[in-house]
Amino acid sequence: MKNKIDLHMHTTCSDGTFTPEELVEHAKKAGLEIIAVTDHDTLSHVSRIRAAAKPHDLQVISGVEVSASCPETPIHILGYFVDTKSDALNTLLEAVQKDRHERNQNILKKLNDLGVHVTEDDLDAYAGEEQVGRPHFAQMLLKKGYVNSIPEAFDRFLADGKPAYVNLVRFSPKEIIAAIHAAGGIASLAHPRQLRISNAEKKTQFIQKLVEDGLDAIEVYHSSHSQSDISFFSGLVERFNLLYTGGSDFHGDHKSHVELGKLPANHTLPLEMVDRLQAKASQWALEKS
Ligand code: AMP
Ligand code: ZN
Ligand code: FE
Ligand code: FE
């Protein structure tokens, strides 16, 4: 059976290489029936995705992926069913966007100091329409011949701890989860495999703290997850009485090995998952009104 639901993907509104309109066409071709686009730190894709999906039989859930700040590890929090007009959520996202802009200037400065001669115009040529992030820098370094691959761009320059790395000032998970709830949405921990916490016990404690902060779900099914990741995080979903989400994290050419709609071991997501997420979101929406 083919998977018909994908709740994690990106467009040119952040660091994907497909425009919202192209992504909708691609989703239809991939046989998807329900999608959520989760661009980083913005909601500007949502209206374009909805407009593009209108002529098609394609259900669109509003989504966003917000970068959070933790002392332990970088984390990403997904918001679903959010009201795109929410003041609380938009105020938080605008603050992150402003920080992103300043950070990009600082990354350019660091690259110049390292003898990598790139300008803001160069970056603009490889950036999407907004929310410029490190994948755009990587693409630029590749195209300008400073590196031979995207991973090399991260390994030599852009990854945490490398010479052109600049930290992004971000909000705490608690603040982000609260803003998602204020927007009538549910919060899911994105790709937990990528948490930089090595041991299972510490990972469990970290997630327990997020649950205390209001986390609703964990992205158990992600294209980067192994079968043992899926088992481990499913176990935590049960233990903490959470919901689960799933998605490919499709970025187009920035992550060309990831296919839209494709999950590990050809897993398929059930409609019931979406229904449960929506029911929980309705509770948050009721609470705020
Ligand atoms: P940013 O939000 O600008 O900090 O960029 C984060 C994005 O960069 C992530 O969502 C990944 O898609 C990508 N990324 C981070 N680290 C790496 C890496 N080591 N190799 C390739 N892509 C990476
Ligand atoms: Zn991304
Ligand atoms: Fe992410
Ligand atoms: Fe993502």
Side-chain angles (χ1 to χ4, degrees):
M1 212 174 66
K2 232 178 130 31
N3 183 34
K4 297 191 167 117
I5 302 174
D6 189 338
L7 303 185
H8 193 156
M9 59 189 79
H10 298 271
T11 74
T12 48
C13 292
S14 68
D15 57 0
T17 57
F18 285 49
T19 64
E21 294 73 25
E22 289 164 349
L23 188 63
V24 164
E25 292 303 319
H26 196 52
K28 278 312 289 178
K29 278 197 203 111
L32 291 174
E33 292 177 4
I34 304 178
I35 61 167
V37 178
T38 50
D39 274 319
H40 297 276
D41 308 316
T42 180
L43 287 166
S44 64
H45 52 281
V46 179
S47 57
R48 283 174 66 183
I49 291 287
R50 285 203 196 288
K54 217 166 202 171
H56 299 290
D57 190 16
L58 182 65
Q59 187 186 330
V60 174
I61 295 168
S62 62
V64 63
E65 182 172 11
V66 190
S67 323
S69 168
C70 295
E72 297 89 342
T73 171
I75 78 166
H76 288 170
I77 295 175
L78 296 158
Y80 293 115
F81 295 102
V82 290
D83 175 359
T84 55
K85 296 196 180 70
S86 157
D87 283 340
L89 185 54
N90 282 301
T91 302
L92 180 136
L93 294 177
E94 278 160 24
V96 181
Q97 288 160 15
K98 192 168 152 277
D99 290 335
R100 255 188 194 285
H101 182 77
E102 280 165 22
R103 176 210 201 198
N104 290 343
Q105 305 297 319
N106 290 330
I107 295 177
L108 278 175
K109 247 185 244 146
K110 283 199 167 182
L111 286 171
N112 287 333
D113 291 346
L114 290 162
V116 176
H117 300 293
V118 285
T119 64
E120 193 163 11
D121 285 344
D122 293 327
L123 181 63
D124 286 346
Y126 300 106
E129 298 157 42
E130 36 178 309
Q131 295 338 307
V132 179
R134 285 181 292 158
H136 300 114
F137 279 92
Q139 199 65 248
M140 172 182 68
L141 293 173
L142 175 64
K143 295 280 166 59
K144 295 201 69 109
Y146 285 102
V147 295
N148 292 314
S149 69
I150 297 282
E152 190 192 332
F154 277 90
D155 287 349
R156 279 183 51 205
F157 296 107
L158 301 169
D160 192 350
K162 302 297 164 159
Y165 180 75
V166 178
N167 192 27
L168 179 63
V169 180
R170 307 164 202 236
F171 290 90
S172 70
K174 194 171 179 171
E175 290 168 303
I176 293 167
I177 294 166
I180 290 169
H181 288 168
I186 65 109
S188 182
L189 174 62
H191 41 66
R193 177 199 169 94
Q194 291 166 29
L195 294 175
R196 288 208 209 115
I197 301 173
S198 51
N199 95 32
E201 197 189 330
K202 289 212 175 99
K203 238 181 258 183
T204 304
Q205 285 168 358
F206 180 80
I207 289 175
Q208 182 162 18
K209 223 174 110 250
L210 294 177
V211 175
E212 286 159 13
D213 289 342
L215 188 76
D216 302 289
I218 296 179
E219 190 178 43
V220 170
Y221 298 94
H222 181 269
S223 51
S224 72
H225 284 184
S226 67
Q227 196 52 52
S228 80
D229 295 324
I230 292 173
S231 307
F232 179 74
F233 294 112
S234 291
L236 293 187
V237 161
E238 270 196 37
R239 176 161 164 192
F240 297 125
N241 195 21
L242 296 169
L243 302 174
Y244 71 91
T245 68
S248 62
D249 209 356
F250 179 77
H251 280 73
D253 302 336
H254 285 169
K255 281 190 191 168
S256 49
H257 57 287
V258 175
E259 264 178 65
L260 193 62
K262 186 127 188 301
L263 297 173
N266 288 321
H267 192 86
T268 59
L269 298 168
L271 186 58
E272 187 223 19
M273 174 195 79
V274 174
D275 291 342
R276 290 170 64 187
L277 296 170
Q278 188 161 24
K280 184 84 192 267
S282 311
Q283 280 179 17
W284 289 118
L286 265 180
E287 229 165 80
K288 94 187 146 119
S289 61

